[in-house]
Amino acid sequence: MSKISEAHLPALPFPAAAIQAPDGSLWRNWQIQPADGPNGKDRKGVALAAFDTGAKPFSQGDKSTDQATVLALAKEIDQLQNLLYADGRFKLLLILQGTDTSGKDGTVRGLFSQTSPLGVHTVGWKAPTETERDHDYLWRIHQKVPGAGEIMVFNRSHYEDVLVPVVNGWITPEQTRQRLAHINDFERLLAETGTVILKCMLHISKDEQRLRLQERVDDETKHWKFSLGDLAVRKQWSEYQRAYENLLEATSTPWAPWTVVPADSKTQRNLMIATLVRDTLKNLGLRFPPADPALAGLKVT
């Protein structure tokens, strides 16, 4: 990614605190600091091995307590979503990326179990259709970004287009760099027009993935989740890790930074992301619209 001078950083319509982890916070240790920003200028690339997949930075030490906290956060997110919709100035795009079995579906269930479906929408991105392939690769993505007051969750995302084609050698290194630049520009457009982008890479170990895949094989009720193709992709584990490192390095920007979420523990994963979503919404300075003076003293009969 080309360097961006401080003078050319975008003027975001929402507080930077909504997306940038503050110094000394638990979040800060897991957020990829943008290489173009003052805190990332000395970073020597991104190494996923430096992030412990089994860590539980947001845990209170007891699983049942953590689960209760997730539920409480889900209820708080519901209240904040209502305020986000009433305010109408911003949109929230939550991007969940991760290898097979990293828990993207479970995260959606855990975070939004208490939220009205009227204000939260989810897209599970699959391989592009023939019509979608007739357009540029971001065409289908742009149609699904959130509207004013909405929360949109991407289960996988446009980042698949710099993962699968890269690992399988379908695009050249130059095309990869071009796509990464496209994505940065696309997300900058969204951010400058009021979309708050929260990007989470669900980080599990290879051994944890083995256990989860085996569980799907052993449990007949989970066979529908398993494909023999999952085993072929698993053989490319190292290649996918390198592709993730490359995209994290290139696309963690001041307007849309990445957070690596340790996800060997499902409860910890949900707790961390729920906390980030809650804090992001709280830091937007949301407010209800001014009271309508025409309603003063009105009595409904």
Side-chain angles (χ1 to χ4, degrees):
M1 181 174 67
S2 59
K3 292 294 180 181
I4 303 171
S5 68
E6 293 293 324
H8 292 89
L9 293 179
L12 300 176
F14 48 82
I19 57 171
Q20 295 173 5
D23 290 338
S25 68
L26 293 174
W27 184 10
R28 183 59 174 271
N29 295 330
W30 299 90
Q31 187 174 82
I32 306 296
Q33 297 304 305
D36 303 346
N39 297 309
K41 61 184 178 181
D42 297 325
R43 175 163 52 76
K44 305 297 182 182
V46 173
L48 282 173
F51 296 91
D52 181 7
T53 62
K56 299 180 180 180
F58 284 71
S59 174
Q60 299 177 58
D62 177 75
K63 184 175 181 179
S64 60
T65 300
D66 289 347
Q67 289 174 331
T69 303
V70 171
L71 180 59
L73 286 166
K75 293 179 179 178
E76 192 171 358
I77 289 171
D78 175 50
Q79 296 173 348
L80 288 165
Q81 185 279 319
N82 184 58
L83 183 55
L84 175 74
Y85 188 84
D87 184 299
R89 289 177 296 159
F90 309 119
K91 316 102 173 177
L92 177 63
L93 174 59
L94 173 62
I95 294 175
L96 303 176
Q97 274 293 149
T99 60
D100 291 336
T101 76
S102 60
K104 298 176 287 295
D105 293 351
T107 299
V108 174
R109 288 193 297 270
L111 266 63
F112 301 108
S113 62
Q114 305 299 307
T115 311
S116 168
L118 296 175
V120 177
H121 309 287
T122 302
V123 179
W125 293 103
K126 307 295 184 182
T129 65
E130 183 176 348
T131 299
E132 290 168 343
R133 288 195 298 270
D134 287 340
H135 297 79
D136 68 86
Y137 65 96
L138 290 174
W139 175 78
R140 63 175 184 160
I141 305 298
H142 208 161
Q143 297 179 70
K144 296 296 184 180
V145 298
E150 292 181 343
I151 296 175
M152 175 62 78
V153 185
F154 280 2
N155 183 333
R156 300 186 187 272
S157 68
H158 41 293
Y159 285 99
E160 292 296 304
D161 290 297
V162 286
L163 285 167
V164 179
V166 171
V167 169
N168 290 301
W170 298 340
I171 59 176
T172 67
E174 177 56 34
Q175 289 172 317
T176 301
R177 288 190 291 271
Q178 187 180 58
R179 287 190 177 191
L180 292 168
H182 289 161
I183 288 171
N184 284 343
D185 289 340
F186 172 63
E187 291 181 347
R188 181 168 180 160
L189 164 66
L190 296 180
E192 289 182 336
T193 53
T195 300
V196 182
I197 305 172
L198 192 57
K199 302 190 297 194
C200 295
M201 188 271 177
L202 279 53
H203 186 35
I204 63 171
S205 66
K206 189 176 183 180
D207 192 54
E208 180 63 24
Q209 187 194 58
R210 179 187 63 80
L211 294 173
R212 294 182 185 183
L213 287 173
Q214 189 64 54
E215 182 182 9
R216 293 179 179 182
V217 171
D218 296 342
D219 186 345
E220 291 185 359
T221 67
K222 295 183 178 181
H223 282 182
W224 64 274
K225 292 184 176 183
F226 182 80
S227 167
L228 290 176
D230 296 339
L231 300 181
V233 173
R234 179 170 165 79
K235 293 178 181 178
Q236 298 172 305
W237 178 271
S238 297
E239 291 87 346
Y240 272 101
Q241 293 294 291
R242 287 194 294 270
Y244 266 110
E245 289 172 342
N246 186 44
L247 75 82
L248 290 170
E249 166 72 16
T251 62
S252 195
T253 59
W255 52 90
W258 275 100
T259 298
V260 177
V261 177
D264 281 358
S265 165
K266 298 175 183 179
T267 301
Q268 142 63 35
R269 174 201 70 210
N270 290 353
L271 176 59
M272 181 171 179
I273 300 178
T275 302
L276 299 185
V277 171
R278 188 274 310 271
D279 290 352
T280 292
L281 291 170
K282 290 184 70 173
N283 284 328
L284 287 176
L286 299 172
R287 58 180 184 261
F288 287 109
D292 185 349
L295 300 183
L298 178 67
K299 299 297 183 181
V300 178
T301 60

